[in-house]
């Protein structure tokens, strides 16, 4: 296989992944999550708590707990759960492809 054929095959695989139901669902759910006021507030609370924890030694433990609680609340959302399922499926596909490529390169 020459370089052009490899590039074309790579583009074809990426296009198939992008057109998969997992990828499309993950995109749609990501948009829903980013427009959900409750999830946005939890995300901001989590991120703000991590920032304070990273910069203020006195409040570090308290803010890390707040950040974890906000993150746990985010992850318990049905919308976020569905997103994570689709995200993991796409990531698993990409990891398998990457592993296959690395195996081929090792034995080349």
């Amino acid at each position: 296989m020459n370089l052009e054929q490899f590039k074309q095959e790579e583009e074809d695989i990426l296009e198939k992944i992008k057109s998969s139901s997992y990828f499309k669902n993950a995109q749609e759910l990501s948009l829903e999550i980013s427009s959900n006021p409750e999830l946005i507030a939890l995300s901001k609370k989590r991120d703000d708590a991590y920032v304070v924890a990273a910069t203020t030694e006195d409040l570090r433990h308290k803010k890390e707990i707040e950040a974890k609680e906000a993150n746990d609340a985010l992850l318990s959302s049905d919308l976020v759960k569905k997103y994570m399922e689709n995200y993991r499926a796409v990531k698993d596909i990409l990891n398998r492809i990457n592993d296959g490529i690395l195996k081929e390169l090792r034995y080349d």
Side-chain angles (χ1 to χ4, degrees), residues 2 41 46 85 92 96:
N2 66 33
R46 178 200 57 200
E85 288 172 12
D92 183 51
R96 283 188 267 154

Side-chain angles (χ1 to χ4, degrees), residues 20-36:
S20 74
S21 62
Y22 294 119
F23 189 83
K24 287 178 181 178
N25 287 338
Q27 281 185 312
E28 290 170 9
L29 291 165
S30 179
L31 287 173
E32 283 185 57
I33 290 167
S34 64
S35 63
N36 183 305

Side-chain angles (χ1 to χ4, degrees), residues 44-96:
K44 181 172 177 12
K45 181 178 180 179
R46 178 200 57 200
D47 294 346
D48 290 349
Y50 277 132
V51 168
V52 173
T55 59
T56 309
E57 195 62 40
D58 296 340
L59 297 174
R60 178 172 304 213
H61 184 67
K62 178 183 176 193
K63 290 298 179 177
E64 286 175 342
I65 291 170
E66 283 181 27
K68 182 180 181 331
E69 288 171 351
N71 193 57
D72 289 348
L74 269 170
L75 295 176
S76 70
S77 160
D78 287 340
L79 193 57
V80 174
K81 285 179 186 176
K82 288 178 191 173
Y83 168 80
M84 293 303 294
E85 288 172 12
N86 285 278
Y87 174 82
R88 285 185 190 118
V90 171
K91 189 171 180 174
D92 183 51
I93 292 167
L94 291 172
N95 284 338
R96 283 188 267 154

Side-chain angles (χ1 to χ4, degrees), residues 89-107:
V90 171
K91 189 171 180 174
D92 183 51
I93 292 167
L94 291 172
N95 284 338
R96 283 188 267 154
I97 291 169
N98 189 49
D99 288 347
I101 291 171
L102 290 176
K103 282 180 188 175
E104 287 296 320
L105 292 175
R106 276 190 225 132
Y107 299 113

